[in-house]
Each structure stands twice: as C-alpha cells, then as structure tokens.
Amino acid sequence: MSLLCVSIFVDASGDVPLAIDRAVRAVADGARIIEWRLDALAEEPDGLTAIRRLLAESPAPCIATIRAEDEGGTWQGDEQTRISILEAIGTGDHPPAYIDLELRAWTRSANLRQKVRLAIDHASQVRDISTRLILSSHDFGGRPANLISRIADMAATDACTVGKVAYMARSLRDSLEMFDLVAERVKPMIGLCMGEYGLPTRILAPKFVGFLTFAAVDDGAATAPGQPTVRELAETYRFHDIGPRTRVYGVVGHPVGHSLGPTVHNRGFAEAGIDAVYIPMLVAPGWESFKATIGECIDHRRLDFGGCSVTLPHKEHLLRFGREVGAEIDPLAILARAANTLVVERDADGGVSGLRVLNTDSVAAVESLAAGLDPSVPPIEALRGRRVAIIGAGGVARAAAAGLLAHEAEVVIFNRTRTRSENVVRDLRDHGAISVGRTMDELACGCFHAFVNATPVGMTGGPAADESVLPDDLPLDDSMVVMDTVYTPRITPMLAIARDRGARIVDGTAMFVAQAEAQFEAWTGRTPAEDLFASVLASRPGVRPESS
Ligand code: NAP
C-alpha cells in the first residue's frame, strides 16, 4: 500500500492555525500523512514553538522537512541551527513520524548524522512510535548521472528507513525507468519524477508499491512541479484503489493537461468494477518521440499498458505506428488518415497478444449528427441522402467525412486553405458523394440538411474564441442541424446563433462522449452505463449540458 501524502508549506507562526485547517481538509479528502514544510517557519525567532504546535495538532502522522535551498527548499540558515531544530523536535513530546533529510547533507556532516541518530534513538526509547529517517535527493535539472548509486547509498545507510529520489522528467520514458527502480527497491522507496512528464509516477506509486506520493492540498499549493491535488488523486484517479495488478490506460498528446479523458474513463472503470486507471501521458511532438515512447510503454511488462487515446499532434503518428508494427487497423482510420485509439491486448501472462488501431472520432461524429437529425432511426437511415457541409479539412473533418460517406450522406468540404479541402475530396471521392465548397457563400444555398464545424473556431483559448464559422446571414430553420465538434464551451458562438435562429443544435460533448464510449468498449469489451459519461461531463464546471 502507498500513502497519499499532502505537503503543506508553513510560512510563518501566524499561519499555523490555517495550516492545521488545511491539513484537516486534506485528510478528509483522502490524505493519510502530512509533510510539514518548515523551511520558512524554522527561520522565525519563535519558529520552534510554532513547529511544536504543528506537530502536536497534526491530524495525521507527519513528516518534518526543513528543505535546504540547494535541493529546492527555502531554508537559508546554517546547518548547525537546522540540526538543533531537528534534534529538538525529534526528542520533543510530539516527534514526527519521519524526518526528511537530504542524502547530500547526511553524507557531508558527521555532526548531523550523530544528532539525527540521537534524536531517532531518543524518540524510540521514550515513545511507542519512533521517528524514522527519510533520506532524499532532488534534481530540478533532470535525471542525475549517479541516480543508481544514490539509491544504493540510501539503501546501505542503516539509519535510513525510506529512500526518496525526485528529479525533473524530460520525457515519459524517465517515468518508465522510475517504475522499475521503485519496483526493484531493497528498502521502502519514494520515486517521483517532477513536471508534467512525471505525472504518471505520482499517480501510479501504488502500482509499483512506492512508499508514498505527494499531493498539493489544493490548486496553486503545489510544493513541487507537477504535483496534483489530493482530490484529483483520491477522486479522479482513485489512488487508494490502485494496486500492482491495475491495468494502465491513458491519453497521449501534447498538451494533455486539458483532457477530459481521465474524468470519464476513470469513472467508467469505477462503475464497471474494472481494476484499471487512465492517466495523462505527455509525449513531445514528433514521430520519433511518439514511436519510442509508445513502443516502450507496450513492452514495459510491469506497466501493464492496455492502450490509449491519442490526441494532437499524434493522430497521424498512431496510424503510422500501427502500420509499422503490423497492428490491425480500422478501415475508417485509413480513410481518415489518422487514428485516436490504441488497444493493446494481453494474454494471461501479460504478454502482448494483439494491437488494434481505431478512429472512434469517425463513429462518434456519425452517431452524434445522426441523433441530431433523427434519433428515432438507425444512423444509416438518418443520414442516407442527407447533404452535410463540413467546415474544416483537418483530422476531424476527414474522420467525419469518411464516416458520413459510409452512411451514404453527401458531403461538401469548406476550408480556409483550399488545397487541403481538395486533398480530402481527392482521397475520399471513391467512397461516396463528396465535393469541395468553393466559397462560403455556397453555405447559404438552402440545400444543406446539416452543418458541422470541424475547426477550433469558437473554442475557449483557441484562435477565434468569439467567432462562428457560419456566415451571419445564413438562413436556418428547424429542419436543419448545426453541430460543433468544439466542446469548450459547450454552447459555442456558432451554436448560440444557430439556436436563436431556430436550427436544431448538437454540441461537441455529444461527439466527445460517443468517441470516449467507443474507446472504453474497445479496451474493456464493456459498454459504459447509459448516460454515465454524459452525466460525468455535465457535473464538471464549464462543461454544462443544455438541451438543444
Ligand atoms: P486540425 O487537423 O489541426 O485541423 C484544423 C482545421 O481547422 C483546419 O482545416 C484548419 O484550416 C481549420 N482552422 C484552424 N483555425 C481556423 C480559423 N481561425 N479559421 C478557419 N479555419 C481554421 O484539427 P482537428 O484534429 O481536425 O480538430 C479540429 C477541432 O475538432 C478541434 O479544434 C477540436 O475542438 C475538435 N475535436 C473535437 C473532438 C470531440 O470529441 N468533440 C475530438 C477531436 C477534436 P487550415 O487547413 O486552413 O489550416
């Protein structure tokens, strides 16, 4: 079992009551141990009194840390003073469960070693629960060259109960190495990679039986780069349910921090009683980094990687990867020239027994639009013979067009860059009725049953957040459907205008939910409970459902 530890900085003695309140809240949210970061408090004239109060009132067992500046802390005092404070709290009435000290300081100072040993011995003689020692090392510039020997030094130090290594990950592959180091530990170990590339090591600590993982009490309170909050770990990732047999899925992209995937898929696993977790997996842009990282994830036996969602900029890379490794490839992914789902099938021993590459965006766009046109009949009947204008010629436009043609709809592609729309039409023209929209004025011909925005226009934080891709004077009525693939905000400027003009609207969450449901089914063979993903999204601030 791994502990969920909340790390709390206490800046001044006046902040102690607030710090204790925050710790109480963190324990209610799922934290099992508190790290009191005393770097600043220890420098105050009456700091020791405040520290004693913190330790006495700590709502859970705690770690006392006065982190030196050269390892990412703020402690600027001299080593003698730091030793005296650690000795005083170790031999006081409420000794912490653990004292954290840098391996570097421990190695450097015989005096410190002696004083810390005394404090530990004293505490264990007079109390049931003795203070133990965590020896730690931190590197904010990347993986230290002597990482392995540091871990060996921690293991060889009798007084050290737990070894801790933390360094800034340069890629997800650093996390994979850390998983092995933690799994092969000779004494309890904390092994964490910092930064966004290192997030998997924080979430998956229980899978490799890391001693603990650190979390922030709330947003903006992280004590190291990349630290999630206690609530995210406990609720979204179900940290306390993760164990050595938990299968790992994720979302691969750059960026991935905004993805709603972890929210819906982890809830899906929980509701279906499936021992699996879905995590953000940041992979740097470029084919080489994608290929190397995904290949290593698949081959990493301990990770038990079951597959992933793939988003920008790696959708074309996934298709190429599938071809290179001889995966079974969904024909819609070939038509769309992009894929968004990897399925890794494993045998009972954990070996890879099959790889599948799919494009669930295509199925999702078809299902959402068909439901908007006529929910009472199967998609093929709702779409057959309908004329659909797609605005955009990127990956989603291709996926939607391929799926719509397979359902016998007629498609016209409108795009800012004409050559791209011509390329889509050239690639798909053998599969149905598809043509290029020459000017945006053609949208007003009165001959379209549906309009689909497959550009980022209207997306919060995107290139034209307040704009609509449809002309202002486009005649609309309730026989027409306007669908957006953008889902943040849920009602984009285009959808708001279309609704005001009387058209039926389909927002981007419908497509998001449909593609996520298809992925869940591909990975698990199970269909998520009806409306589960939609209701999970609806309960999130900023992604509120509205009936159209
Ligand atoms: P993509 O391959 O980068 O293509 C983007 C398309 O948008 C291109 O055709 C581009 O035109 C056009 N475009 C970009 N900025 C524009 C602007 N300011 N004005 C007019 N056109 C513009 O992206 P994608 O993968 O197809 O994704 C498109 C959108 O789909 C994303 O923004 C996302 O919101 C949405 N999406 C939704 C879901 C879902 O589940 N709901 C899933 C995936 C994606 P040019 O060719 O001229 O550059």
Side-chain angles (χ1 to χ4, degrees):
M1 193 188 80
S2 301
L3 298 169
L4 180 45
C5 177
V6 69
S7 189
I8 302 177
F9 261 115
V10 191
D11 289 332
S13 42
D15 295 340
V16 167
L18 179 67
I20 290 168
D21 281 354
R22 298 177 89 199
V24 168
R25 194 153 36 88
V27 169
D29 285 345
R32 300 281 184 271
I33 183 165
I34 312 288
E35 181 191 41
W36 294 115
R37 283 293 298 268
L38 309 170
D39 321 11
L41 195 54
E43 296 208 46
E44 288 218 335
D46 62 345
L48 186 56
T49 311
I51 291 172
R52 286 199 165 116
R53 184 176 163 200
L54 267 181
L55 299 182
E57 296 183 27
S58 183
C62 66
I63 303 168
T65 304
I66 304 172
R67 178 74 67 233
E69 245 190 337
D70 58 357
E71 296 227 16
T74 63
W75 167 258
Q76 292 176 330
D78 62 78
E79 200 66 322
Q80 198 52 49
T81 310
R82 187 159 78 131
I83 295 169
S84 307
I85 294 171
L86 291 175
E87 189 184 7
I89 60 179
T91 56
D93 286 342
H94 300 281
Y98 297 89
I99 286 173
D100 178 314
L101 263 185
E102 305 87 32
L103 174 69
R104 193 178 348 209
W106 175 265
T107 311
R108 197 167 46 206
S109 166
N111 184 24
L112 181 137
R113 290 199 291 275
Q114 188 196 10
K115 290 280 175 58
V116 171
R117 279 201 170 100
L118 267 180
I120 290 171
D121 289 349
H122 178 90
S124 60
Q125 277 159 23
V126 296
R127 268 167 265 287
D128 294 343
I129 302 171
S130 61
T131 295
R132 292 155 194 257
L133 178 64
I134 298 173
L135 280 184
S136 60
S137 90
H138 311 82
D139 293 84
F140 291 82
R143 181 194 183 283
N146 63 351
L147 177 66
I148 307 297
S149 71
R150 284 189 198 177
I151 295 171
D153 288 348
M154 291 168 187
T157 303
D158 289 346
C160 168
T161 307
V162 181
K164 172 188 171 189
V165 288
Y167 62 86
M168 186 65 74
R170 299 150 304 176
S171 81
L172 188 66
R173 293 155 78 194
D174 279 339
S175 292
L176 297 177
E177 182 193 20
M178 189 65 97
F179 294 147
D180 286 330
L181 294 173
V182 173
E184 290 162 17
R185 70 202 172 276
V186 292
K187 67 168 53 167
M189 182 173 162
I190 303 165
L192 299 172
C193 288
M194 293 183 278
E196 218 181 331
Y197 287 114
L199 183 56
T201 60
R202 298 185 182 278
I203 300 171
L204 298 179
K207 179 164 176 66
F208 303 98
V209 201
F211 180 68
L212 61 72
T213 205
F214 290 101
V217 73
D218 45 37
D219 279 338
T223 55
Q227 223 175 57
T229 65
V230 180
R231 281 194 107 132
E232 280 168 343
L233 281 175
E235 291 177 14
T236 304
Y237 298 105
R238 295 156 49 239
F239 181 86
H240 298 296
D241 293 333
I242 296 174
R245 299 176 67 82
T246 301
R247 182 152 288 181
V248 176
Y249 298 87
V251 50
V252 168
H254 196 282
V256 285
H258 65 290
S259 174
L260 297 171
T263 307
V264 294
H265 288 298
N266 285 316
R267 189 63 188 282
F269 293 141
E271 297 283 324
I274 295 171
D275 186 8
V277 63
Y278 180 102
I279 61 173
M281 300 168 74
L282 186 69
V283 174
W287 158 244
E288 291 299 335
S289 55
F290 179 84
K291 178 185 174 181
T293 308
I294 295 301
E296 268 193 49
C297 286
I298 292 170
D299 291 343
H300 195 282
R301 288 289 279 252
R302 285 193 178 105
L303 182 63
D304 195 6
F305 180 55
C308 54
S309 313
V310 174
T311 183
L312 295 177
H314 292 305
K315 289 185 176 186
E316 287 86 0
H317 298 152
L318 175 59
L319 183 60
R320 181 172 167 188
F321 181 83
R323 286 196 168 114
E324 286 200 4
V325 299
E328 183 189 325
I329 301 177
D330 168 11
L332 282 172
I334 293 168
L335 285 182
R337 289 203 180 169
N340 73 337
T341 310
L342 172 67
V343 182
V344 182
E345 284 158 355
R346 294 189 179 271
D347 56 31
D349 298 331
V352 177
S353 56
L355 293 173
R356 283 190 292 136
V357 166
L358 315 172
N359 188 323
T360 66
D361 283 340
S362 187
V363 179
V366 165
E367 279 181 11
S368 332
L369 185 59
L373 284 162
D374 188 349
S376 66
V377 295
I380 183 76
E381 286 177 37
L383 289 165
R384 184 179 290 132
R386 301 295 185 116
R387 205 169 147 83
V388 182
I390 296 179
I391 300 95
V396 167
R398 270 179 184 273
L404 291 172
L405 293 180
H407 286 74
E408 300 175 30
E410 191 180 326
V411 175
V412 184
I413 305 278
F414 295 83
N415 192 49
R416 186 176 60 173
T417 309
R418 180 76 168 274
T419 47
R420 279 189 91 186
S421 43
E422 286 171 350
N423 289 344
V424 174
V425 170
R426 185 198 59 213
D427 294 343
L428 295 178
R429 70 178 160 222
D430 291 343
H431 300 273
I434 183 166
S435 57
V436 176
R438 286 170 209 292
T439 67
M440 294 304 259
D441 292 344
E442 282 181 32
L443 287 167
C445 63
C447 56
F448 289 109
H449 300 100
F451 302 87
V452 178
N453 174 36
T455 78
V457 172
M459 184 172 73
T460 308
D466 300 328
E467 293 177 23
S468 161
V469 289
L470 296 182
D472 288 347
D473 53 357
L474 183 71
L476 292 169
D477 60 48
D478 67 0
S479 70
M480 298 171 183
V481 171
V482 175
M483 169 171 150
D484 214 328
T485 60
V486 171
Y487 54 80
T488 315
R490 191 151 196 253
I491 300 299
T492 57
M494 178 186 80
L495 292 184
I497 295 169
R499 187 175 53 187
D500 288 350
R501 300 237 187 101
R504 286 175 281 153
I505 63 171
V506 176
D507 66 59
T509 58
M511 178 175 159
F512 177 82
V513 165
Q515 62 81 29
E517 286 175 342
Q519 291 181 326
F520 189 88
E521 211 172 320
W523 292 324
T524 65
R526 311 258 294 267
T527 314
E530 203 179 339
D531 290 338
L532 175 68
F533 284 9
S535 64
V536 170
L537 282 189
S539 62
R540 278 178 63 93
V543 192
R544 299 181 58 73
E546 248 176 82
S547 70
S548 55

